[in-house]
Amino acid sequence: MFESLSDRLNNTFDRLRGKGKLTEADITSAMRDIRMALLEADVNFKVVKDFVAKTKERCMTADVMESLTPAQNVVKIVLDELTELLGTTESKLVFSNRIPNVIMLVGLQGSGKTTAAVKLAYLLKKQGRSPLLAACDVYRPAAADQLATLGGEIGVPVFRGDGAHPVQIAQDAVREAIDKLRDVVIVDTAGRLQIDEQMMQEAVDIKRAVKPDQVLMVVDAMTGQDIVNVVSTFAERTDFDGVIISKLDGDARGGGALSVRAVTGKPIKFVSMGEKPDSLEPFYPDRMAKRILG
Ligand code: GDP
């Protein structure tokens, strides 16, 4: 991910470094390159516009233009702004004293919710917690089986409630967790390929019934311009406390990963970098920004 964005940004920086002292025209031309590079990476256009405006304003100051190493300063400003874009707030999960804590995952079908639920369970298990996975995606026939198989592989029980309504399954899973002394319930909900009223209402009903301590939205890193519609509908209906970005290991352009913080205003909590259970990592904005700048 981000290879072509990294290459393009680095070419721009190399051109600046070759110039020594920078003129306003040099900065304007560099900002145009950065804008194109971000748009080509499918970053949301409003996010790109704001990003470039802020970065340009900071680069156009006398401090930068008249310094001995103006190009270095521009790189530093782009790094800062990229880090800011990715979020500077705490990305850790916040647990309440309630037993069990309930974490609910929402997102479109195929975004990687079921995979993320399993990875999160694995991570929490490694941290000494005893999770229970709740299979509330009753529409995709293989979803509960997929969860049961993957849960089995990592040694985390899966509550299926075969045949019951998803709201009932979520409630029964919480009860099961109390009976079996599991301290976190991870609720995997249904998604559709497109936003759909029934799916939204069901997510709202599950949320109302089990009052999750945290709702996390799973967003595919490959999501492009459509990200605004997807996340704003979820934000309005179910709201959420943070984001898990999935499929960051792919070779797609990564627009979703770069837009989601600015579009939602919510912290990115984890990134998912593969299909294996141990490929969920806590998110560090500064590390990601450095990676993008190569
Ligand atoms: P759901 O419909 O939201 O529950 O999505 P799934 O969890 O079933 O994931 C959809 C597809 O994406 C599956 O084939 C997963 O193996 C794959 N997938 C999910 N997360 C990742 C990831 O981080 N990296 C890669 N490469 N594939 C992923």
Side-chain angles (χ1 to χ4, degrees):
M1 184 94 28
F2 305 127
E3 283 84 3
S4 91
L5 177 61
S6 298
D7 287 350
R8 295 207 42 169
L9 292 176
N10 280 308
N11 287 342
T12 305
F13 297 147
D14 285 346
R15 270 198 296 283
L16 287 180
R17 285 192 192 97
K19 285 181 182 289
K21 210 161 168 53
L22 298 182
T23 63
E24 251 187 67
D26 293 328
I27 302 277
T28 303
S29 153
M31 293 304 134
R32 197 179 305 123
D33 289 349
I34 292 174
R35 183 189 304 121
M36 284 310 298
L38 290 169
L39 287 173
E40 274 173 30
D42 220 358
V43 181
N44 174 259
F45 65 89
K46 168 92 172 47
V47 173
V48 174
K49 199 167 155 227
D50 293 348
F51 178 87
V52 172
K54 267 176 83 183
T55 307
K56 186 171 181 183
E57 190 185 327
R58 285 187 61 193
C59 290
M60 286 288 198
T61 59
D63 274 359
V64 176
M65 309 276 290
E66 285 159 25
S67 81
L68 290 174
T69 51
Q72 278 315 101
N73 287 341
V74 171
V75 177
K76 169 82 174 55
I77 289 169
V78 174
L79 181 64
D80 276 1
E81 290 296 329
L82 211 46
T83 308
E84 174 91 27
L85 180 70
L86 291 167
T88 43
T89 42
E90 183 59 71
S91 71
K92 285 212 178 87
L93 284 181
V94 190
F95 287 95
S96 72
N97 292 329
R98 173 185 173 202
I99 300 284
N101 261 244
V102 177
I103 300 175
M104 177 176 166
L105 299 186
V106 296
L108 287 183
Q109 183 180 325
S111 60
K113 278 184 308 300
T114 303
T115 313
V118 172
K119 293 175 177 185
L120 193 56
Y122 185 67
L123 194 78
L124 295 177
K125 188 181 170 195
K126 275 199 307 190
Q127 291 171 356
R129 294 183 186 268
S130 45
L132 173 71
L133 285 156
C136 293
D137 180 356
V138 298
Y139 306 101
R140 192 160 61 88
D145 293 342
Q146 183 190 349
L147 202 59
T149 308
L150 295 170
E153 281 170 17
I154 60 167
V156 169
V158 174
F159 186 84
R160 301 180 60 140
D162 286 307
H165 188 274
V167 172
Q168 190 67 49
I169 298 175
Q171 285 173 318
D172 289 348
V174 172
R175 251 173 248 126
E176 170 96 349
I178 295 168
D179 289 349
K180 301 260 168 77
L181 299 172
R182 313 299 300 183
D183 59 7
V184 189
V185 176
I186 301 170
V187 180
D188 180 27
T189 62
R192 301 272 196 285
L193 289 175
Q194 242 120 46
I195 289 168
D196 153 305
E197 175 51 33
Q198 190 199 347
M199 166 190 87
M200 275 297 162
Q201 190 54 47
E202 188 177 290
V204 171
D205 292 343
I206 293 176
K207 185 176 176 192
R208 197 171 291 144
V210 296
K211 299 183 180 51
D213 299 273
Q214 296 178 72
V215 179
L216 300 178
M217 175 158 188
V218 181
V219 177
D220 184 331
M222 297 183 224
T223 319
Q225 299 298 327
D226 193 35
I227 194 164
V228 175
N229 294 332
V230 177
V231 296
S232 52
T233 309
F234 277 97
E236 232 170 69
R237 299 296 301 276
T238 61
D239 200 11
F240 51 92
D241 305 286
V243 174
I244 297 177
I245 297 188
S246 66
K247 309 184 195 177
L248 206 66
D249 53 313
D251 57 5
R253 295 169 290 172
L258 280 168
S259 311
V260 72
R261 173 62 217 277
V263 168
T264 62
K266 311 277 186 186
I268 301 169
K269 303 247 179 191
F270 297 98
V271 288
S272 166
M273 317 266 288
E275 294 179 74
K276 296 256 162 59
D278 63 356
S279 58
L280 189 73
E281 297 178 6
F283 179 67
Y284 301 102
D286 51 342
R287 286 190 206 169
M288 173 79 85
K290 280 187 189 131
R291 203 180 117 193
I292 293 168
L293 292 198

